[in-house]
Structure formats: C-alpha cells, structure tokens
Amino acid sequence: MPRFAANLTMLFTELPFMQRFEAAARAGFDAVEYLFPYAVPKKELVAALRDNALEQVLHNLPAGNWEAGERGIACHPDRVAEFREGVARAIDYATALGCPQVNCLAGKMPVGAALHQVQPTLVENLRFAARELQTAGIRLLIEPINSFDIPGFMLTRTDQALALMDEVGSPNLLLQYDIYHAQRMEGELGATLGKHLARIGHIQLADNPGRGEPGTGEINYPWLFRHIDAIGYTGWIGCEYRPRTDTATGLGWRTALTH
C-alpha cells in the first residue's frame, strides 16, 4: 500500500498552519510536506513534528515573492545570488527538520526572454544546488508543472525535466512526479512511472479536473495505486489536493481506493 504524506499547504486549511500537524497525525498520517517552512522558526516546526510523531518528507527551496505571483527564480539570470542564498537557507531548515529532500521550482520565464537565454542559468543553478545539498545529505528534486495552472512556467513536461537532469549531470538530482500536473500535460501516467521509476524521488497526487481528492475525477486511482506498488515505488506520495469540504471528511479515499 502506498505511503501518503499530508501536504499541509493544501490540506487542513480550515485550521491555522501550526495546528495542521496535530490534525494530520489524528487523521492517521505519519508524514507531512508543505511548500515553504521559512516563515516559521525552525524550533517551532521541529517541536510540531516531534510532538505529533511526524516525519517531514519535503519542502521547497525559496521561490521568490510567492504572494506577488512568483513561482521560482532558478531560471532568472539576474537572481543567481538570491537563488544561492536560498539554497543555504533550505539546507539550514531541511537539516533541522530531518527533511531528506527539497524541491526546486524552476520558475516562470522572465518577461521577454527566450528559452535558450535562460536554460544555462537554470542548469548552473541546479548543478550548484545539487552539489551543496549532496554535501549536506539532502536530495534535490525538480518538478514539471502544468501550463494551465501556471502559464509561463518554464518546466512543464516529464521529458523536458529528464533532459534537463541529463544536462545537469548530477546523481543528486531527481524528478518530483506530480500525477495531477502530468495528467494535464501528457497522460501516460502508469507507463511514465514504470519507465522512469529509478529517476523519480517523490510523487504527489490530486485528481483532475479541479485538483480534487482522488476518486473525484478522471484518473483511475485504484489501478494507479496498484501499479505504483507493483513497480516497487517505496517513497512517500504527497497529498497535494483541494478537499471538497473539510479535509477529514474527504479522507475516505485512502481506504476506498487502495483495497
């Protein structure tokens, strides 16, 4: 049976952020992830994880001004210094939280820029981050995101991400495979997971359309969960979806779709 981690950015949003740890534990989760830890002192997050016997499995590198609509800065040639500072900050937090991997959001294409103008920056930033994180014992992930939800995002497809990983050439750079984003851009979920399992460091889920709970849309999650087990994936699957009502009420899918 797959191991599910609660994404506390998306789930239990009826509660203040720091109360979501306890809610996740009460709902039967053993692990959590969320977008960014940086607004909360490390000691408070460490205590929330410890007090609720939770494992932290993922957070992102700093991604610029999120509230202003930025979705990563790794492809911005004029922000390399800021990116490198963010790598150091991510290592500081991930080390304190015992988090084994962090995700790098490539970002939206800079206005007026062409791909060939920003690709070298992204490659060099990823090489730097992969090297620094490897020294700290932390894996680096990259995630394709669909162009419907985030128009202009630089990295949108699995094959594009794998080619980028080849160009970076680091064994410490793996793919974060988000089932929802992949369904919107390319489909072929089972085949892609099976073919590239060795290069996948983390999986996330939501159904489509609407980024809802598994079982509410077009994805055949009972089959897909069996397939994920059959191909031998043993990592966590982050639950990064929008609940239809309150989070706890909608968690029945974990039993209904995995047995």
Side-chain angles (χ1 to χ4, degrees):
M1 178 177 174
R3 298 190 299 161
F4 299 114
N7 186 297
L8 299 186
T9 303
M10 301 285 284
L11 302 187
F12 304 104
T13 56
E14 56 271 18
L15 298 171
F17 180 74
M18 292 306 296
Q19 294 180 25
R20 298 175 196 173
F21 292 84
E22 181 180 3
R26 286 186 174 181
F29 287 101
D30 296 318
V32 296
E33 62 178 41
Y34 39 81
L35 290 183
F36 308 108
Y38 312 108
V40 181
K42 295 189 296 290
K43 63 180 181 180
E44 294 184 21
L45 294 169
V46 170
L49 292 168
R50 181 193 64 237
D51 293 348
N52 294 288
L54 291 167
E55 181 178 346
Q56 174 89 34
V57 299
L58 179 75
H59 63 74
N60 291 338
L61 288 172
N65 189 339
W66 195 263
E67 289 73 23
E70 293 184 335
R71 292 298 181 265
I73 59 172
C75 68
H76 289 245
D78 59 340
R79 300 176 75 172
V80 172
E82 180 183 351
F83 177 84
R84 293 191 171 201
E85 291 171 1
V87 170
R89 196 174 186 198
I91 290 173
D92 182 38
Y93 266 81
T95 300
L97 300 176
C99 184
Q101 54 195 5
V102 298
N103 180 43
C104 175
L105 294 170
K108 299 178 185 177
M109 291 280 290
V111 177
L115 183 63
H116 73 272
Q117 295 173 307
V118 300
Q119 180 87 357
T121 297
L122 179 59
V123 169
E124 288 305 313
N125 276 338
L126 289 173
R127 284 177 180 159
F128 172 83
R131 183 171 62 250
E132 294 295 305
L133 288 161
Q134 186 169 23
T135 299
I138 302 164
R139 297 193 301 183
L140 176 64
L141 308 177
I142 53 169
E143 178 187 16
I145 292 179
N146 79 78
S147 58
F148 303 100
D149 288 5
I150 306 182
F153 197 79
M154 182 177 176
L155 190 64
T156 61
R157 297 181 60 88
T158 300
D159 56 359
Q160 182 189 5
L162 294 171
L164 176 62
M165 291 162 61
D166 289 339
E167 187 172 357
V168 172
S170 170
N172 197 43
L173 178 60
L174 296 171
L175 176 68
Q176 178 165 305
Y177 188 81
D178 187 302
I179 292 168
Y180 163 74
H181 292 305
Q183 175 69 3
R184 296 212 69 182
M185 294 302 297
E186 60 199 34
E188 288 293 304
L189 303 175
T192 302
L193 284 162
K195 182 178 181 180
H196 301 296
L197 179 65
R199 307 188 74 181
I200 294 173
H202 190 61
I203 296 174
Q204 292 178 321
L205 61 72
D207 217 328
N208 185 58
R211 201 171 187 173
E213 299 155 3
T216 62
E218 66 189 0
I219 299 174
N220 185 349
Y221 269 108
W223 181 90
L224 194 59
F225 288 146
R226 291 194 300 271
H227 178 70
I228 288 170
D229 279 343
I231 63 176
Y233 178 75
T234 58
W236 294 95
I237 301 179
C239 301
E240 194 182 41
Y241 63 83
R242 299 186 182 97
R244 284 178 295 181
T245 56
D246 67 281
T247 302
T249 299
L251 287 173
W253 65 264
R254 293 178 302 177
T255 300
L257 304 183
T258 59
H259 291 81

